[in-house]
Amino acid sequence: MGKNTLTITDNRTGKTYEIPIAYGTYPTYGAYIKTADLRQIRVSDDDFGLMGYDPSFGNTASCRSAITFIDGERGILRYRGYPIEQLAERSTYLETAYLILYGELPTRQELDAWTAEVTHHTLIHESIKKFLDGFHHDAHPMGMLIGTVGALSTFYPEAKEIHDAATRRKQIVRLIAKTPTIAAFAYRHMRGLPYAYPDNDLSYTGNFLNMLFKTTELKYAPDPVLERALEVLFILHADHEQNCSSTAMRTIGSSHADPYSALAGAAGGLYGPLHGGANEQVLRMLQQIGSKDRVPAYIKRVKDGEVLLMGFGHRVYKNYDPRATIIKKIADQVFQVTGTNPLLDIALELERIALQEDYFITRRLYPNVDFYSGIIYQAMGFPVEMFPVLFAVPRTSGWMAQWEEMLTDPEQRISRPRQVYTGADVRDYVPMEQRGGARVA
Ligand code: ACO
């Protein structure tokens, strides 16, 4: 192999530049140049210099990160080097959250201490309930989650001390502990049910089910199959490197805002139908299709560009999303407890037809994590509005890990992209009486 540099000749000036090429862990995946090195390429002394133009960051790394690795071509996802399949099979959500946050699997002692710490913080201040009570009965629970998480910053003003490692850790624990409580309370509010308080004897997901579904029983006993299925779903959703919401978390956090405000923003990014809101849209799409025999007509509409096939396609995966494969497997276990979801047949038929169609093959569109998760959530008794909330709860650990990594990375400064200005050149102010008729519709 030759030198790790890139030689660029600027044909405007005939000058040649040599720019270093650097690497991440894998030389064949993640070679990069620093776009700041392009700035020296200029035609004159007063020229700003060359920039990279990359709308939506299709080919621009915004950070160096050691948390999650994705190879979208080969359908690989790893947290801190551990394959997602192994974690889904053998880990728990809290153990995975620890791994994502601190880089290593915890020892027994570390895991016990971590679990006790998170469990200790599951309660929310009673006044927070008043915020939830203020929402209309039909308020979307994701809106309630975003608003209430943002409001938490007013309860923990010390969270602003983002340069203090111990304070950061405290907020990380609080957020991982309290998002399930807020999510469950939002659900209870939506249903008009009294809030069910955390039960610290239960596991993280067992307690979440308790806060959601407990009725009059003295002690709620989660179904072990559903508890484990939720655990696996939470592991799969814990992090996914620099997606829209993690980028929002990092961007807002880079201004040194407190983590509650940043996380509310990240959750807002997740809410959109092109990101974590897709699972809700998948269910609505399946309901709208209604039966297997109507699938071909829907696929035709997708191909005609009228609608998207929700739950298909991904910016990074150009292969099966490995999370979708795992989710498909756990669906069977869940359905043995809950009974099958009739929408599964429609989803399977959609996938079968889509994967044979040229439109999807040439664009390399495969099912993503959201395609099957909603079918499971619905079978477990969740209303569709809760689906993005069920994504946000476990993603909290990933957002916090991305936030922590960003703040402790000496190369990171406030996030502030450049633009390519395409507007009017400088011109003089025109007095009102000289402006003529309407020119803007
Ligand atoms: N249905 C139909 N066509 C699609 C779909 C889809 N779901 N996804 C992409 N395409 C088409 C686009 O129209 C485009 O076609 P064209 O080249 O003829 O214009 C081509 O495939 C490339 O798609 P882009 O939109 O350029 O891909 P991008 O990387 O920007 O978008 C995204 C990725 C947003 C996920 C997209 O695939 C999509 O909208 N999917 C549906 C929503 C969804 O499931 N989101 C969840 C993603 S997973 C997550 O966030 C947790």
Side-chain angles (χ1 to χ4, degrees), residues 310-361:
M310 298 310 289
F312 258 65
H314 198 276
R315 172 63 60 79
V316 178
Y317 292 119
K318 301 301 168 197
N319 201 324
Y320 229 100
D321 181 336
R323 300 169 298 177
T325 315
I326 299 169
I327 289 180
K328 228 172 139 178
K329 279 190 206 147
I330 57 170
D332 289 337
Q333 296 158 23
V334 170
F335 296 154
Q336 274 174 23
V337 176
T338 61
T340 191
N341 185 337
L343 295 178
L344 179 68
D345 288 341
I346 303 174
L348 288 169
E349 184 68 356
L350 266 176
E351 181 187 331
R352 191 185 68 78
I353 297 184
L355 293 183
Q356 293 171 357
E357 289 277 349
D358 227 36
Y359 177 95
F360 298 89
I361 296 168

Side-chain angles (χ1 to χ4, degrees), residues 274-275 278 302 309-313 315 359 363 365 368 370 391:
L274 297 188
H275 189 14
V302 174
L309 180 50
M310 298 310 289
F312 258 65
R315 172 63 60 79
Y359 177 95
R363 289 170 179 77
L365 302 172
N368 60 47
D370 289 322
F391 196 148

